[in-house]
């Protein structure tokens, strides 16, 4: 059974038109899928649907066989504090402005999930070392360089030991070498932790080495895997008034 | 002066100058160095070596690789560059770079298609997009590149060229598709 599946999913926004139309996708446990598209092409929507943060207009999104729409809001939240981790790399401003350390910030999801401060701190240390950000432990989040911020965001997502990691734009650092290091780190984490990943980026170089790449935009999705379940649909005319 | 007669022959000659080797080894080296954008078929190396040999740009030596007693014993032919080969290669390196035609195959289809062919063009563009994505997926990742500083720098430069090209192609495919679809949405035919 696939870990994540989209079955005939449609999503449109007022003003932006159709983002996804009749979209099918299966992601197996431990699989790495790259999602490439220009800005505002629907990459983030795809990840937010997978995390159950947004609901599709039509079709079904399943995690481990369960329709996410059948879960309560609390149930979906619990899932996001555990098995599904959405790593949004642009740190929200309240985190940047807060006085907590990086280690506290990384351990926070576990504290929200009911674990002790001690357990959360130990797990945060392990997670930061895993992504090569052990040196940042005592820093304040606002002191981080973009590449370090990406690693810390990944550590915060991985601290929950998710089965599905959704990474939204890991290419925030302007340094191409650092971007490649982060891309290689993502592949390495998929292999070593057997975590399934959907990695969305507008940067083509972040897709290098991805066994499956989805190209997304204008309601069309094209995959390099012709035998996969992703197929392309011609984009219908934008509706403009969809929810 | 004898010269290589194709780009592949020149690259094979350059690889032999870099380090003498046998056909399979040369093919693997070229494949790793040029990346998927080159769409290189290693079997073409053998014919290129024959032609370079005919024009005395390379020479070969028979080298035994396994003891005669071994059932898998075989001679390998190791190719070396001749002095004339080195001169021809350096002459090519410094020569004027030719402007290559871009995406001729897909442009030719667009140039001669009529409005009723729009679905076929969209299909062709989708196939081309898949091919570009495949090349992105198959581009050699950082960790598997050569470790020697010069080789690494060259490999990164080649890979960057391929990725910049693919980025531009993918953006172009999207914009071309948008144009074709927008045309179908209302403009007079």
């Amino acid at each position: 059974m696939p870990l994540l599946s989209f079955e005939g999913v449609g999503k449109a926004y007022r003003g932006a038109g159709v983002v996804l139309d009749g979209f099918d996708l299966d992601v197996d446990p431990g699989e790495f899928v790259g999602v490439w598209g220009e800005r505002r092409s629907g990459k983030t929507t795809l990840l937010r649907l997978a995390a159950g943060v947004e609901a599709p207009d039509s079709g079904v999104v399943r995690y481990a066989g369960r329709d996410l729409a059948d879960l309560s809001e609390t149930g979906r939240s619990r899932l996001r504090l555990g098995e599904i981790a959405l790593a949004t790399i642009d740190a929200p401003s309240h985190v940047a402005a807060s006085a907590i350390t990086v280690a506290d910030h990384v351990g926070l999801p576990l504290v929200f999930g009911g674990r002790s401060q001690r357990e959360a701190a130990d797990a945060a240390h392990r997670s930061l070392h895993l992504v090569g950000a052990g040196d940042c432990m005592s820093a304040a989040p606002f002191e981080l360089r973009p590449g370090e911020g990406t690693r810390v965001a990944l550590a915060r997502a991985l601290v929950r030991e998710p089965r599905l990691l959704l990474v939204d734009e890991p290419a925030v650092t302007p340094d191409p070498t650092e971007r490649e290091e982060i891309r290689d780190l993502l592949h390495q984490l998929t292999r070593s932790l057997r975590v399934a990943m959907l990695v969305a980026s507008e940067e083509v170089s972040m897709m290098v080495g991805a066994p499956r790449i989805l190209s997304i935009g204008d309601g069309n999705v094209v995959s390099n895997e012709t035998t996969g379940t992703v197929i392309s649909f011609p984009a219908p005319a934008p509706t403009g008034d969809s929810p | 002066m004898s010269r290589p007669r194709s780009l592949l022959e020149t690259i094979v000659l350059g690889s032999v100058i870099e380090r003498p080797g046998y056909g399979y080894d040369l093919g693997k080296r070229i494949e790793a160095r040029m990346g998927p954008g080159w769409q290189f078929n290693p079997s073409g190396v053998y014919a290129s070596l024959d032609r370079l040999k005919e024009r005395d740009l390379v020479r070969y030596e028979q080298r035994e690789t396994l003891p005669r007693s071994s059932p898998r014993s075989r001679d390998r032919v190791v190719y070396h560059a001749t002095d004339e080969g080195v001169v021809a290669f350096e002459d090519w390196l410094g020569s004027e770079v030719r402007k290559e035609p871009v995406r001729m195959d897909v442009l030719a289809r667009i140039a001669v298609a009529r409005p009723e062919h729009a679905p076929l063009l969209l299909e062709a563009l989708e196939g081309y997009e898949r091919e570009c994505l495949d090349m992105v997926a198959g581009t050699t990742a950082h960790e598997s590149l050569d470790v020697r500083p010069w080789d690494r720098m060259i490999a990164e430069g080649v890979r960057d060229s391929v990725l910049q090209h693919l980025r531009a192609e993918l953006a172009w495919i999207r914009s071309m598709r948008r144009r074709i679809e927008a045309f179908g949405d209302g403009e007079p035919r």
Side-chain angles (χ1 to χ4, degrees), chain A residues 36-38 180 183-184 191 203-205 207-210 213 215-218 220 222-224 226 232 235, chain B residues 122 126 129-130 133-134 136-143 156 159 163 166-167 170-171 174 177-178 181 185:
Chain A
W36 176 80
E38 294 155 321
E180 289 183 6
R183 182 198 63 214
D184 295 346
R191 287 193 296 268
E203 182 52 54
V204 169
S205 64
M207 302 291 122
V208 166
I213 305 174
S215 160
I216 177 170
D218 302 334
N220 286 289
V222 174
S223 164
N224 64 319
T226 46
S232 160
Chain B
L122 289 171
E126 187 180 312
E129 185 169 8
R130 284 184 204 284
L133 293 173
D134 244 353
V136 172
T139 300
T140 315
H142 200 259
E143 52 198 338
E156 284 177 354
R159 193 187 43 184
L163 287 175
L166 290 171
R167 178 182 297 123
L170 287 163
R174 182 140 304 159
R177 199 161 53 200
R178 261 185 219 134
E181 283 164 355
D185 283 345

Side-chain angles (χ1 to χ4, degrees), chain B residues 1 17 20 34 40 70 75 89 130-131 138 142 148 157 164 179 184-185 187:
Chain B
M1 182 177 65
I17 292 169
M34 301 300 288
F40 167 71
S70 162
D75 287 343
F89 179 73
R130 284 184 204 284
E131 202 185 308
H142 200 259
R148 286 171 297 180
Q164 297 276 4
R179 281 165 197 257
D185 283 345
E187 288 189 25

Side-chain angles (χ1 to χ4, degrees), chain A residues 145-148 150-151 170-186 203 205-206, chain B residues 141-143 145 152-153 156-157 159-160 163 167:
Chain A
R145 290 183 298 105
E148 291 172 336
T150 306
R151 287 175 193 269
V172 291
T173 168
D175 177 357
T177 308
E178 202 171 18
R179 281 207 296 256
E180 289 183 6
E181 284 172 6
I182 285 166
R183 182 198 63 214
D184 295 346
L185 170 69
L186 292 171
E203 182 52 54
S205 64
M206 294 307 282
Chain B
H142 200 259
E143 52 198 338
L145 292 178
R152 190 183 179 88
M153 184 275 288
E156 284 177 354
R159 193 187 43 184
D160 196 36
L163 287 175
R167 178 182 297 123

